[in-house]
Amino acid sequence: MIKKLKNTIEGSLIKWGFLEKKDDIIPYAFLAPALIILGGILFFPLVYSFVLSFFNWNMTQSGGAEFVFLDNFIKLFGNGAFWHSVRLQVLFVAISVFLELLIGLGVAMLLNHNFAGEHVVRALLLLPVFILPVVSGLTFRFMYDPQYGAINWLIGLFGFNPVPFLSKSTFAFVAIIIQDVWRMWPFMFMILYASLSSLPESPYEAAAISGATKWQVFRHVTLPMLKPSIVIAVILRIVNALKAFSEIYVMTNGGPGDATSIMSIFIYKNAFDFYEMGYSAAASYVLVAIALAFSIYLVKTQFEF
Amino acid sequence: MLNKDVSKWKLNKKAIFYISVLILLLIELFPIILVFLTSFKSQIDIFNANPFSAFMPTLDNYKEVLIDRTFLNNLKHSMIIALVTTTISVVFGVMASYSFARFNFKGDQKIGLAILASRMIPPITLSVPLFLLMRKVALLDTYFGLILAHVSFIMPYVIWMTLPFFQGIPKAYEEAALIDGCSRFGAFYKIFVPLVAPGLVVSATFSFLFSWNDFLYALILAGSELKTAPIVVSGFIGQFGPKWGSMTAAGSLILIPIFIFALILQKYIISGLAVGGID
C-alpha cells in the first residue's frame, strides 16, 4: 500500500521536475511531518507577524488593520519608552551573563579536582537551572519583602535597614539581575566544568616544568583552552536571557514605573494590555533581530549539514 | 616536626575547601529550601522574617491547595499538555533530525538553518501572532492550541539536540539492514532508533521540562478556562494579598517531578545542556 503510494507520488514529482531520480523523496518523507507542523505554527505565524508590523491595528477599536508601512517602526524609534526597554534589556543581559560567567568559572576552577561527594555537589548545584522561572521569580519576590523577606532579614543581621528591593527603581533592576544570576550561573558552571575536566594534561606539565605561577597557568594555559566552551556557553546564555519574561512578569511586572520593563515586558504590555498588535509586532521584530545576530554565529559554528 | 606541620596544613586546606563548598551549597540552595520550609509553615510563622526560627510544621497549606480538586486538575492539564507535546516533538523531531543527519538533499542546509535559528526567537515574538491566529480558529484556551504552541519551540529543540548526536552514529548498521532488504523506514525504526534510545530519553525529558515550565504561552493562549499549574501558582500572589503558604505548597508540588528528573538523569543532562542550552 505505502509502497504503491510512494511510487505514485515519486513518479509524478519526477515527471514535474521536482526530483531527479527514484528514492530522492526519502529524506523529504522523513522531514515532512516536522516541516508541516513547524510551517503551520512557527514559520507562518512569524511571517504573519512580520507583515502585521506594517499595519496599524488596535484590537479594542473597530475597523481592523490599516496598512501604514514603516510607521510602526518610526513611532517605535521615536519612543523614549522603547529605547528605555532596549537599554534595560542590553544591561540586563550583559550584567547577568557577565556575573554568571565569573561565578561559573570561579566555582568550576574551585571544584576541578576529585573530592568525596563531587557528584552530589554538582547535582545539587544544578537544581536551580531546572526550577520554573515563575516559581523562582515568586520566591525572590517573597525573599525581597521589606517586612518578612529572608534577604532583608539577612541584611538586618548585619545591622542595615531593610532595602525596599522591588519598590525602588535601581534596587528593582538589581533584584531581577540577582534572581537571574542565582538561577543561571550553575548552567555556566556546568559547561565550563565539563570542559575543564576534559582538558589535556600535557600543557600543564609543560607549564609546571617552566615554573609558572598558578595565575600564569590559569591565564596562559587554562583560559585559552577553555575559550571555545566559554564562547558557546556565553552565547547560549545571551540568547536565553533575551527570552526572559515570566520571572520578571511575576516579580515586578516591569515596575516600579518602567524600571524593569525589558523588551519582552514592553512588547507584552503593548500587545495584551493596550492591544496595539501591529506596533508590538514591530517591537518584537527588533528583539528578533538582536537574537538572530547572535544565533547565526552559534548555528554556523556548531552545526554542519 | 616539619612533616607534621605540612600534614596539618593539608588538613586545614581540605577543611577550608569543604567549608567553602558547604557555604556555596547553602547559598545556592537557600531559596529552594525556603520554598519547602515555608510550605509547612502557618500564616503567622511565614510572616516571621527569620526563616530559620522554630515553627510548628503544619500541612494546612497543602490541604488548602489540594482540598478542592482544582489544583490537581491544573496539574493534570500540565501533565497532559507536556506528555502530548513531548510525544509529537520527539517522534517527528527525531525523524527530521535523521533526515538531516543521513541525507544530502536539495535545500537541506536552508531548512536546517531556519529550524535551528528559530530556537533563538524569543517566545514573546511568536506569542503575538499565535494569539491572533488561534483566536481566529478558536484554539485559545484549548489543549490543542497550547500543545501546538509548545511544539513550536520544543520540536526545534529536539532537532537541535539530537542532530550532532545522530551525526556521530556510524551508518554501517543501517546499511547492512538495507542490503538485507529492509526498507529505509524499517532501517530507521528497527535499527537506528534502538541505537539512539538513550539520547531520545534525554531529549524527551527536556521536552517535558520545557512544556511543564512554560508560563508565557499558558498565560497568553490560555488561562481563563484552561489553566496550567504555573499559572495557578502565580495566581496565589494575586489581588487579595499574597498567599505565600499556598504558593510555596503548590510550588513544591510542581518542583518535585523536575528535581527527580534532574537528579536521576544527571549524567546525561550535562551533555544535553552543553549542546542545546535551556529554555
Side-chain angles (χ1 to χ4, degrees):
Chain A
M1 230 303 265
I2 292 173
K3 203 137 202 180
K4 220 170 163 186
L5 187 71
K6 177 182 168 243
N7 283 335
T8 329
I9 298 175
E10 215 165 45
S12 39
L13 284 176
I14 291 172
K15 207 164 69 193
W16 296 331
F18 286 116
L19 296 173
E20 283 172 10
K21 58 180 195 301
K22 221 169 150 311
D23 282 354
D24 271 2
I25 196 178
I26 288 173
Y28 297 103
F30 274 103
L31 197 56
L35 218 50
I36 291 167
I37 295 173
L38 291 181
I41 57 176
L42 179 64
F43 296 120
F44 175 67
L46 285 174
V47 172
Y48 178 82
S49 143
F50 186 68
V51 173
L52 194 65
S53 68
F54 301 112
F55 283 81
N56 181 19
W57 184 16
N58 187 317
M59 263 172 62
T60 57
Q61 289 160 9
S62 55
E66 174 202 0
F67 183 73
V68 293
F69 197 40
L70 291 175
D71 263 17
N72 284 326
F73 290 96
I74 294 167
K75 242 168 70 189
L76 211 51
F77 294 143
N79 183 351
F82 172 72
W83 286 114
H84 177 70
S85 77
V86 174
R87 202 164 50 238
L88 287 182
Q89 181 76 65
V90 171
L91 278 176
F92 172 74
V93 173
I95 298 174
S96 309
V97 175
F98 177 71
L99 290 177
E100 284 155 23
L101 177 62
L102 276 190
I103 301 174
L105 187 58
V107 175
M109 294 296 293
L110 175 75
L111 299 186
N112 184 31
H113 54 81
N114 295 328
F115 59 95
E118 60 171 307
H119 288 284
V120 182
V121 169
R122 236 172 23 197
L124 289 176
L125 280 181
L126 205 55
L127 284 185
V129 173
F130 296 102
I131 200 170
L132 288 83
V134 180
V135 174
S136 166
L138 290 169
T139 306
F140 270 82
R141 189 166 148 186
F142 178 47
M143 294 196 301
Y144 282 135
D145 191 282
Q147 265 122 49
Y148 50 83
I151 291 180
N152 271 313
W153 169 76
L154 201 70
I155 290 173
L157 284 188
F158 291 99
F160 295 103
N161 287 329
V163 179
F165 273 106
L166 298 180
S167 47
K168 278 262 172 50
S169 300
T170 331
F171 288 136
F173 191 64
V174 172
I176 63 169
I177 289 179
I178 292 177
Q179 188 275 144
D180 196 75
V181 171
W182 169 76
R183 197 160 54 87
M184 279 309 190
W185 75 257
F187 172 80
M188 217 56 120
F189 156 74
M190 215 64 247
I191 292 182
L192 299 180
Y193 181 86
S195 162
L196 262 181
S197 48
S198 63
L199 292 183
E201 290 285 332
S202 52
Y204 288 99
E205 284 156 11
I209 290 166
S210 55
T213 64
K214 266 191 172 172
W215 169 252
Q216 283 172 329
V217 172
F218 174 73
R219 175 71 191 75
H220 298 289
V221 180
T222 308
L223 217 47
M225 286 200 291
L226 220 49
K227 203 180 145 207
S229 318
I230 292 180
V231 172
I232 297 275
V234 165
I235 295 181
L236 281 174
R237 267 303 296 144
I238 289 176
V239 168
N240 183 242
L242 286 170
K243 293 180 182 174
F245 171 79
S246 43
E247 58 274 35
I248 294 159
Y249 177 82
V250 296
M251 270 172 88
T252 64
N253 194 12
D258 59 358
T260 54
S261 174
I262 60 170
M263 287 177 82
S264 56
I265 301 277
F266 177 88
I267 295 165
Y268 176 83
K269 284 192 170 164
N270 273 291
F272 301 107
D273 287 348
F274 309 133
Y275 290 100
E276 288 285 358
M277 290 315 188
Y279 190 59
S280 52
S284 72
Y285 262 89
V286 179
L287 184 56
V288 169
I290 298 174
L292 281 187
F294 285 104
S295 60
I296 296 290
Y297 175 79
L298 181 65
V299 170
K300 284 209 165 145
T301 50
Q302 228 184 350
F303 293 97
E304 281 169 57
F305 288 96
Chain B
M1 186 67 195
L2 188 75
N3 223 348
K4 213 174 159 191
D5 272 357
V6 168
S7 68
K8 208 171 165 189
W9 187 74
K10 262 192 178 158
L11 200 71
N12 276 342
K13 211 177 151 192
K14 216 174 175 182
I16 290 170
F17 172 76
Y18 275 107
I19 289 170
S20 47
V21 168
L22 207 65
I23 292 173
L24 184 73
L25 276 178
L26 205 63
I27 295 173
E28 191 54 18
L29 296 183
F30 175 75
I32 297 171
I33 297 168
L34 184 70
V35 169
F36 284 117
L37 274 184
T38 307
S39 71
F40 292 106
K41 285 182 183 175
S42 68
Q43 193 72 3
I44 300 162
D45 288 321
I46 289 172
F47 289 120
N48 179 350
N50 179 352
F52 299 114
S53 64
F55 66 94
M56 226 10 221
T58 160
L59 287 174
D60 284 356
N61 296 318
Y62 287 94
K63 274 187 206 144
E64 200 187 318
V65 167
L66 296 173
I67 197 139
D68 56 354
R69 303 190 52 84
T70 328
F71 187 67
L72 283 176
N73 265 326
N74 302 132
L75 281 176
K76 197 183 83 190
H77 296 325
S78 284
M79 188 67 84
I80 291 171
I81 290 167
L83 285 176
V84 179
T85 301
T86 302
T87 311
I88 296 176
S89 304
V90 171
V91 170
F92 297 134
V94 162
M95 280 169 61
S97 191
Y98 179 77
S99 172
F100 288 125
R102 282 293 183 263
F103 302 100
N104 284 313
F105 53 93
K106 234 199 302 191
D108 59 347
Q109 192 147 4
K110 280 187 193 124
I111 300 169
L113 276 179
I115 291 176
L116 297 182
S118 79
R119 284 251 319 130
M120 307 300 173
I121 291 171
I124 190 79
T125 300
L126 197 59
S127 71
V128 174
L130 277 184
F131 170 77
L132 294 170
L133 292 169
M134 286 192 179
R135 199 178 62 119
K136 221 171 254 177
V137 292
L139 278 180
L140 290 182
D141 261 318
T142 63
Y143 278 127
F144 191 54
L146 208 46
I147 288 167
L148 285 181
H150 285 182
V151 170
S152 79
F153 69 96
I154 292 171
M155 189 145 69
Y157 169 80
V158 172
I159 297 174
W160 172 285
M161 200 191 128
T162 52
L163 185 52
F165 174 54
F166 285 5
Q167 282 167 335
I169 303 281
K171 287 181 186 176
Y173 299 104
E174 293 147 75
E175 275 161 5
L178 288 177
I179 289 165
D180 286 348
C182 197
S183 75
R184 194 78 219 198
F185 189 77
F188 166 75
Y189 181 69
K190 287 192 202 125
I191 310 291
F192 187 78
V193 169
L195 219 52
V196 295
L200 301 193
V201 172
V202 180
S203 67
T205 309
F206 273 97
S207 302
F208 185 90
L209 277 181
F210 292 156
S211 174
W212 184 260
N213 284 6
D214 167 68
F215 178 77
L216 176 61
Y217 289 125
L219 176 73
I220 291 170
L221 304 177
S224 38
E225 277 156 52
L226 176 65
K227 285 187 181 158
T228 61
I231 297 288
V232 178
V233 172
S234 77
F236 287 127
I237 315 302
Q239 300 97 315
F240 312 110
K243 290 161 108 181
W244 294 115
S246 307
M247 189 289 269
T248 49
S252 302
L253 290 176
I254 55 178
L255 285 181
I256 288 167
I258 290 176
F259 287 170
I260 291 174
F261 272 145
L263 292 175
I264 293 177
L265 293 174
Q266 209 235 126
K267 206 167 71 188
Y268 305 99
I269 273 169
I270 296 163
S271 54
L273 282 180
V275 178
I278 192 150
D279 257 281

